[in-house]
Amino acid sequence: MKAAFDGSRRGLARALSHIENNQMGSIEPPSNYIPPDKNEWQVLGVTGAPGVGKSCLVDKIIQHWIEQGHKVAILAVDPTSPVTGGALLGDRLRMSNSDGEESVYFRSIATRKHGGSVPGVVAKMLELLIFCGWTKCIVETVGAGQGEIRVAAIADRILLVEAPGRGDGVQAEKAGLIELADLIVVNKSDLDGAQRTADEIRQALQVGATSPPQILLASAATGEGIEEMCVSIDQMVEREGSSRAKLLERVKAVHEQALLDSPQLENILEIVASGTSAEMALQALDKQSQQNTQKE
Amino acid sequence: MAAPLRVVVAKPGLDGHDRGAKIVARALRDAGHEVIYTGLRRTPEQIVRIVMDEDAQLLGLSSLSGAHAHLFPIICQLLVEAEMGDVVVFGGGIIPTNDRPALYEAGVRAVFGPGTTSTEIVEFIETVTEKTNSGESIGCGAKTDWHWGQ
């Protein structure tokens, strides 16, 4: 841990592994730590369906931030195979431009299935990275399933990546991600149908309530619209609706973590297995813990 | 449950054939490990940086272009210089039998040629884990004569 604060990459990598393996308690900032300006935000969540081009866009954002003098850390979250427990982490593949830069730290994370929840682990990793002086962090996740949405919700700002040819706007809405997004980029604007995809998302959002996020067209392949995207990211304002949605997801993540860490978890599962409903089991435990505190 | 092993599978140099590397990556994933694939055409420096940042315990190098004799020892040396001599390095691809002793000498602990089964590679990894757990150091910087298939 000390090595990580002293700027050692190896030390940082080791410390992150400890967090990932649930071997690290709470993290205190180093004594010489200067907290970042309150008006600046650090963590960008990038999410979207597989294959829409998240990694390629992230590569561009990294370049943009390096040019501004930032130190950029990327946490790329990929699913662990539920069958074998293994994972193939290939997000580096498309980020060749950023490899080997002193001011870029790239880490692949498998979701794993044991113990702690992913959002809890990622949040802790981000905390450590920021303490170690990484001024911008990017969390990249596949936007499918509640778990991934919750990981994205840790971020200060969320970029949702879409691409043409993925069904209508209703599909995107279904995923439950749009309400979290602060900016939507339709990637692959060099392909047919990109404009239509953007229009459909825009229409779907107009029906909804609060201020919709900005929607941009860009192409990581041709570079079209990338500069505009980077400018918009820097100026990105958190939407009122999205900040509430994020907070809700964060609270849920803490709650989930508490449940998974609870020494009572096995008891609860046993009670449920014996035929009691989960609700009753939890109530019984609540009573038990109340009695315990009274005794004390 | 113990944390899964983290393995970097890398393609150093200029060769553009990565079917073998991808199959090995897949096989290791199916054996329950976390595999980070680097993609094509990485420099030794980039590969060492990736192993460091990803905190990997193993590094698999694939080369089909004949550059193994040059690149594999450089990577082992850079790992040692970066104080990562405990990382276990193995290689694969088109690597003539005559070239292998020099690679073992440089710190590569296994060389897998065409026709290797994925089972064998998984067995190698299991052996590495056993040896490491029993306190034997077989990283690329360790002073040992051991290599796979002796």
Side-chain angles (χ1 to χ4, degrees):
Chain A
M1 175 78 99
K2 197 184 167 300
F5 288 152
D6 289 344
S8 148
R9 290 184 86 100
R10 176 93 156 138
L12 175 63
R14 281 275 153 92
L16 290 175
S17 295
H18 282 308
I19 295 176
E20 204 176 11
N21 299 335
N22 277 326
Q23 293 161 341
M24 177 99 77
S26 62
I27 305 165
E28 294 292 323
S31 49
N32 58 353
Y33 174 69
I34 305 158
D37 189 340
K38 278 230 160 65
N39 299 318
E40 292 258 333
W41 53 270
Q42 282 82 41
V43 185
L44 175 70
V46 179
T47 188
V52 292
K54 293 181 293 297
S55 300
C56 292
L57 288 178
V58 165
D59 201 24
K60 308 281 183 205
I61 300 170
I62 297 168
Q63 296 300 326
H64 170 70
W65 275 341
I66 295 174
E67 279 163 26
Q68 290 185 345
H70 282 294
K71 283 179 76 186
V72 189
I74 303 96
L75 301 179
V77 184
D78 268 334
T80 290
S81 153
V83 183
T84 65
L88 192 50
L89 309 166
D91 284 313
R92 295 200 87 101
L93 208 64
R94 275 163 285 276
M95 304 222 197
S96 52
N97 291 335
S98 313
D99 261 345
E101 294 253 14
E102 199 56 45
S103 46
V104 178
Y105 184 92
F106 190 106
R107 177 75 172 226
S108 316
I109 299 168
T111 49
R112 298 190 184 173
K113 288 293 172 210
H114 61 86
S117 69
V118 187
V121 167
V122 172
K124 231 178 197 182
M125 286 178 152
L126 290 167
E127 204 179 4
L128 177 65
L129 285 164
I130 292 169
F131 285 159
C132 290
W134 297 86
T135 48
K136 288 281 183 195
C137 301
I138 299 174
V139 180
E140 190 194 325
T141 65
V142 173
Q146 276 298 313
E148 274 78 9
I149 293 176
R150 216 158 281 167
V151 174
I154 302 164
D156 299 317
R157 300 285 185 279
I158 295 179
L159 167 66
L160 175 64
V161 184
E162 274 289 343
R166 293 211 327 106
D168 53 23
V170 182
Q171 293 289 347
E173 234 178 340
K174 231 195 278 181
L177 275 166
I178 286 200
E179 56 177 357
L180 282 170
D182 298 301
L183 175 67
I184 297 175
V185 172
V186 178
N187 190 25
K188 311 190 188 184
S189 64
D190 49 317
L191 297 186
D192 279 348
Q195 186 61 53
R196 218 183 100 196
T197 304
D199 290 343
E200 275 171 359
I201 297 173
R202 199 168 285 130
Q203 276 168 13
L205 286 173
Q206 270 169 0
V207 186
T210 52
S211 57
Q214 196 186 355
I215 300 169
L216 292 176
L217 281 166
S219 164
T222 64
E224 191 192 336
I226 294 296
E227 223 181 293
E228 291 88 328
M229 175 187 80
C230 291
V231 172
S232 297
I233 288 173
D234 284 339
Q235 295 169 350
M236 213 192 284
V237 190
E238 192 170 37
R239 292 187 307 124
E240 202 181 313
S242 84
S243 79
R244 259 198 91 77
K246 272 182 222 149
L247 289 177
L248 178 62
E249 291 299 331
R250 279 180 218 172
V251 171
K252 282 193 210 160
V254 172
H255 199 258
E256 186 184 73
Q257 180 81 55
L259 177 66
L260 288 170
D261 288 347
S262 160
Q264 297 288 358
L265 183 59
E266 279 304 312
N267 287 346
I268 298 174
L269 292 179
E270 246 168 64
I271 297 173
V272 177
S274 69
T276 319
S277 76
E279 216 166 282
M280 296 283 280
L282 286 173
Q283 277 173 4
L285 276 174
D286 266 350
K287 262 185 214 153
Q288 209 181 340
S289 67
Q290 269 170 14
Q291 280 167 359
N292 285 348
T293 31
Q294 274 168 6
K295 268 181 212 161
E296 278 166 20
Chain B
M1 190 180 134
L5 284 176
R6 290 173 69 84
V7 187
V8 168
V9 172
K11 288 288 302 181
L14 294 176
D15 102 67
H17 303 272
D18 67 348
R19 173 171 290 201
K22 281 177 175 162
I23 287 175
V24 170
R26 187 63 180 272
L28 294 180
R29 183 200 77 158
D30 289 345
H33 307 298
E34 290 179 1
V35 186
I36 297 120
Y37 177 50
T38 62
L40 296 170
R41 300 187 196 92
R42 295 305 150 104
T43 66
E45 287 80 6
Q46 282 176 335
I47 291 171
V48 170
R49 166 63 62 81
I50 292 171
V51 174
M52 183 188 284
D53 285 2
E54 297 284 0
D55 196 21
Q57 292 91 23
L58 287 111
L59 168 63
L61 298 167
S62 158
S63 171
L64 289 81
S65 66
H68 53 268
H70 179 63
L71 292 170
F72 289 11
I74 292 183
I75 292 167
C76 290
Q77 194 195 331
L78 288 174
L79 281 170
V80 172
E81 282 170 14
E83 292 173 24
M84 292 193 289
D86 56 331
V87 173
V88 177
V89 179
F90 61 101
I94 308 295
I95 298 174
T97 326
N98 289 346
D99 288 358
R100 297 184 186 183
L103 297 183
Y104 295 137
E105 184 75 18
V108 178
R109 296 293 169 233
V111 175
F112 299 107
T116 307
T117 61
S118 53
T119 323
E120 188 184 344
I121 300 176
V122 171
E123 275 168 15
F124 163 71
I125 305 253
E126 279 166 9
T127 311
V128 166
T129 314
E130 277 166 28
K131 283 183 178 288
T132 314
N133 286 347
S134 66
E136 193 179 337
S137 42
I138 50 165
C140 61
K143 303 244 176 307
T144 172
D145 293 333
W146 179 81
H147 64 81
W148 181 251
Q150 252 171 343

